[in-house]
Amino acid sequence: MSDYVFGLDTFGDVPTDDGGALLSHPRAIRQVVDEVVLADGAGVDVVALGEHHRPEYSISTPETVLAGIATRTSRIRLSSGVTVLSSDDPVRVYQRFATLDALSDGRAEVIVGRGSFTESFPLFGYDMGDYEVLFDEKLDLFVKLLDEKPVSWQGSTRAALDGVEVFPKAGRRIPVWVGVGGSPESVVRTAHHDLGLMLAIIGGPPQRFAAYVDLYHRAVEQFGNQPHPVGMHAPGFIADTDEEAREIFYAPYKAQMDLIGAQRGWPPMERSRFDAEIEQGALHVGSPETVARKIADSVRAVGARRFDLIYTVGPQPVSARLKAVELYGTRVIPMVRELLA
């Protein structure tokens, strides 16, 4: 169906070459560009690049990489996923995405969020004690900028604005989503600001997020705003067979989860838990047929109209990533559309 949207997400995870050697950050960034060019030709609707400031990820400024992609693509929509608005300046964020929108001829989108990692806060001089107020105030200002009219704003986290106009202007209202990991307060905030809801589903059964979609729709109605399509993103990987996809994805996925888990107090990833996440949880891993069925099931269960596959988690080989992108665009997306028709 034409009103479903299917995308790819990446944080620019540093991949390996086919000999197992990690690529440099510059090569990893160029690899992402090549993958999105392939996705553009394969029929993928949108790509979202996430902001991180850690050694295992290569992308710290999504809009810069997206601008490069804009010059080599013609139809794929170009989004961040997410822009960590709390540790950035809303005016500069808007200017950068208005510029991206010009370069891409109206294909820019923004997914803002507080981020799942906190490295950007000390890096840019922000106090984690202001975590909540930083996002609340900066989101409020960013939403005002979307109207492209003179802005007056006052808060505690940056200098006040008095009738200021911001340039360049996009000449349209750039689509903006808020990335939400499962907080009811975040869902209501998103509805209050009349923005799209993008659910980050990285573990557990996707259907448990259906309650947040219902809350979002009820809150939108109560605020008197127009409903927006709800999106979801979840990790996964595609290869020719289920067995091949699991074997390619498992070791890099485990390495990444164990690295993060050591910092957050999670136990090491076991193969049985990995397999369970594929069978009953958030991982969309397997052959094109298997992944298509799982995506269709997830979209129905959640009530989403957009699905983004996080196709890089850890250091997968370059050739396998390219194959996964091609299979997603040419085989998985058409099958999902048929299943949802």
Side-chain angles (χ1 to χ4, degrees):
M1 295 177 65
S2 60
D3 57 347
Y4 284 98
V5 172
F6 298 99
L8 287 169
D9 290 5
T10 180
F11 306 140
D13 304 64
V14 177
T16 66
D17 62 24
D18 288 345
L22 284 172
L23 271 60
S24 65
H25 283 118
R27 285 186 62 195
I29 291 171
R30 294 193 294 271
Q31 178 62 31
V32 169
V33 174
D34 289 343
E35 289 163 1
V36 180
V37 170
L38 176 61
D40 183 50
V44 178
D45 297 318
V46 60
V47 64
L49 306 185
E51 171 192 346
H52 285 292
H53 306 271
R54 299 168 57 91
E56 63 268 30
Y57 304 119
S58 65
I59 298 175
S60 63
T61 56
E63 58 270 40
T64 305
V65 182
L66 292 168
I69 291 169
T71 66
R72 294 184 55 192
T73 57
S74 61
R75 46 163 299 280
I76 195 168
R77 286 150 49 185
L78 306 173
S79 177
S80 59
V82 302
T83 292
V84 184
L85 191 61
S86 306
S87 56
D88 210 329
D89 183 84
V91 174
R92 292 296 285 149
V93 171
Y94 191 79
Q95 289 175 322
R96 296 196 297 263
F97 277 92
T99 302
L100 172 63
D101 203 58
L103 290 170
S104 64
D105 195 18
R107 290 184 281 141
E109 296 186 2
V110 192
I111 303 176
V112 297
R114 290 180 288 186
S116 59
F117 295 98
T118 59
E119 286 84 0
S120 64
F121 288 82
L123 183 64
F124 299 121
Y126 291 99
D127 188 340
M128 284 297 298
D130 297 327
Y131 186 79
E132 294 293 340
V133 68
L134 280 167
F135 189 70
D136 285 344
E137 288 194 359
K138 292 187 176 188
L139 182 63
D140 180 63
L141 173 55
F142 190 68
V143 170
K144 293 181 186 299
L145 295 168
L146 296 177
D147 292 331
E148 298 197 324
K149 297 176 180 178
V151 172
S152 295
W153 179 91
Q154 187 170 0
S156 62
T157 56
R158 59 149 292 147
L161 300 175
D162 184 11
V164 172
E165 286 202 69
V166 174
F167 305 98
K169 296 184 183 297
R172 72 177 189 120
R173 189 177 180 88
I174 295 175
V176 176
W177 308 65
V178 178
V180 174
S183 161
E185 293 80 11
S186 296
V187 173
V188 174
R189 180 195 295 115
T190 302
H192 171 70
H193 285 294
D194 195 20
L195 302 174
L197 177 69
M198 178 62 71
L199 295 167
I201 304 177
I202 59 174
Q207 58 265 30
R208 67 193 177 95
F209 283 81
Y212 294 107
V213 177
D214 179 65
L215 173 63
Y216 173 72
H217 288 312
R218 287 189 284 112
V220 165
E221 184 177 358
Q222 290 175 5
F223 288 123
N225 292 327
Q226 294 297 313
H228 297 274
V230 172
M232 60 176 287
H233 80 170
F237 199 76
I238 308 152
D240 287 326
T241 68
D242 290 350
E243 294 75 16
E244 183 183 9
R246 292 190 188 209
E247 289 311 308
I248 291 172
F249 193 68
Y250 175 64
Y253 179 77
K254 173 178 168 57
Q256 187 74 343
M257 291 300 101
D258 288 353
L259 176 65
I260 298 170
Q263 300 166 351
R264 300 187 180 184
W266 303 343
M269 170 68 64
E270 296 181 355
R271 183 58 188 253
S272 59
R273 184 154 63 94
F274 171 76
D275 290 335
E277 275 293 331
I278 294 174
E279 299 299 332
Q280 299 143 7
L283 289 182
H284 295 66
V285 176
S287 68
E289 294 79 10
T290 296
V291 174
R293 287 193 298 269
K294 177 101 183 233
I295 291 175
D297 289 344
S298 297
V299 167
R300 290 193 194 101
V302 173
R305 307 300 290 188
R306 170 173 164 178
F307 180 92
D308 287 2
L309 181 75
I310 311 170
Y311 72 103
T312 62
V313 182
Q316 286 101 2
V318 163
S319 61
R321 280 180 27 169
L322 287 166
K323 182 68 174 293
V325 169
E326 180 184 12
L327 290 173
Y328 183 68
T330 61
R331 296 187 58 189
V332 173
I333 291 175
M335 283 191 279
V336 179
R337 292 193 190 281
E338 288 186 9
L339 291 168
L340 294 173

